[in-house]
Amino acid sequence: MCRLFGLTAGHARVLAAFWLLDALDSLVRQSRENPDGTGLGWFDEQGRPHVEKQPLAADHDPAFATEAHARHSATFVAHVRKATGTPIAPRNTHPFTLDGRIFAHNGVVGDLPRLERHLGHDMSLVRGDTDSERLFALVTREIRRAEGDVGAGIRAALAWIAAELPVVSANAVLAEPGRLWAWRHPAAHELWVLDRAADGARLDHRSSLGTRVTSDHLADTPSVVVASERLDDGPWQLLEPGDLLAVGTDLRLERTALLPGGS
């Protein structure tokens, strides 16, 4: 299963270090199936998105995932991919960027030919083979149609997908500088949120897959984290199926219904 991670400190740019997998000599790491890609996205001081990512096929250097990536940003997105039929290649590795936003997805959306027909000329936004990038293209198109209203665009895209396509999971994280959106649909995969106070405790989160993120800056800066699993013993909240979470630069959490009727 793929893993999602999103973090925002709102207005504050913070330094965070990411290890996307355990060291290769870790016994815990050896006990797991090898992932098929890892990636990290963040925004520079001008608000431009940047993504570092690498497929972890046998012919690529896996050191990318096991070395520390220290980056300054107000918002981060990280992803570990387990492929479900599409090639292990850079073009299929998360996160993806469009219109200045960063996106990562966990799950499977079916009947891609129907989705491609629905996208029409907007298939020009897609460079790879995954359902994830096609989902992102549809969300991006609907945000454009909603004149930049991100929440409205997400709802429009997911309403069509829920009505027209078979879906195992469309869980995703979408980021802008200082802003984060996350949604859970349907119930197959969990998605958690942690509202972190500036309480003097440094951030040090580790997942069961071997990912890790640390930040001394976040001891004195509040933040919000979204992840596919609880990463420490903090007061995590499980998003309900059908939840759309929006976190603004003020770090206020707003939960609304993703689909009409609240389903």
Side-chain angles (χ1 to χ4, degrees):
M1 182 175 81
C2 304
R3 297 298 176 94
L4 292 174
F5 177 90
L7 183 154
T8 183
H11 290 291
R13 290 180 60 80
V14 298
L15 177 66
F18 292 79
W19 291 260
L20 298 172
L21 289 177
D22 285 328
L24 290 181
D25 58 358
S26 163
L27 292 177
V28 176
R29 171 75 175 83
Q30 291 172 10
S31 72
R32 304 189 185 101
E33 294 183 25
N34 290 332
D36 298 318
T38 62
L40 172 64
W42 77 97
F43 296 91
D44 65 22
E45 292 183 354
Q46 288 71 46
R48 296 171 299 202
H50 295 266
V51 170
E52 294 176 284
K53 55 187 180 179
Q54 173 133 316
L56 294 182
D59 58 346
H60 288 83
D61 180 5
F64 169 83
T66 62
E67 296 173 350
H69 299 256
R71 301 290 179 264
H72 277 97
S73 183
T75 312
F76 300 88
V77 175
H79 187 272
V80 178
R81 178 182 184 233
K82 185 64 181 175
T84 54
T86 52
I88 302 169
R91 68 182 183 275
N92 294 331
T93 305
H94 302 228
F96 303 102
T97 63
L98 282 173
D99 284 6
R101 302 183 185 93
I102 300 174
F103 173 88
H105 165 230
N106 175 17
V108 177
V109 175
D111 198 352
L112 294 191
R114 181 170 177 78
L115 176 52
E116 290 170 357
R117 290 193 297 272
H118 183 62
L119 281 168
H121 73 272
D122 290 304
M123 271 297 294
S124 63
L125 300 173
V126 176
R127 297 290 179 263
D129 312 293
T130 65
D131 57 340
S132 304
E133 196 181 6
R134 285 154 177 78
L135 169 59
F136 186 26
L138 181 59
V139 169
T140 298
R141 181 177 78 182
E142 296 304 328
I143 293 172
R144 291 175 178 177
R145 288 179 172 178
E147 299 181 344
D149 185 329
V150 174
I154 292 169
R155 291 188 189 92
L158 269 294
W160 185 88
I161 286 172
E164 302 293 337
L165 302 181
V167 177
V168 173
S169 175
N171 290 8
V173 171
L174 179 70
E176 292 180 349
R179 296 179 174 86
L180 194 70
W181 291 263
W183 59 91
R184 183 183 178 198
H185 172 74
H189 295 164
E190 293 181 345
L191 196 58
W192 295 82
V193 59
L194 175 65
D195 190 359
R196 296 185 74 255
D199 57 4
R202 73 190 296 264
L203 182 139
D204 190 343
H205 283 173
R206 304 166 189 245
S207 83
S208 62
L209 193 63
T211 58
R212 182 185 179 198
V213 55
T214 67
S215 175
D216 291 328
H217 285 182
L218 287 172
D220 303 312
T221 304
S223 59
V224 176
V225 180
V226 175
S228 297
E229 63 179 289
R230 296 173 60 126
L231 302 177
D232 63 10
D233 59 359
W236 292 82
Q237 301 176 50
L238 181 64
L239 294 184
E240 296 297 327
D243 273 357
L244 171 61
L245 175 72
V247 185
T249 53
D250 60 359
L251 296 181
R252 185 171 61 89
L253 278 66
E254 180 182 1
R255 286 204 212 188
T256 56
L258 179 63
L259 301 176
S263 58

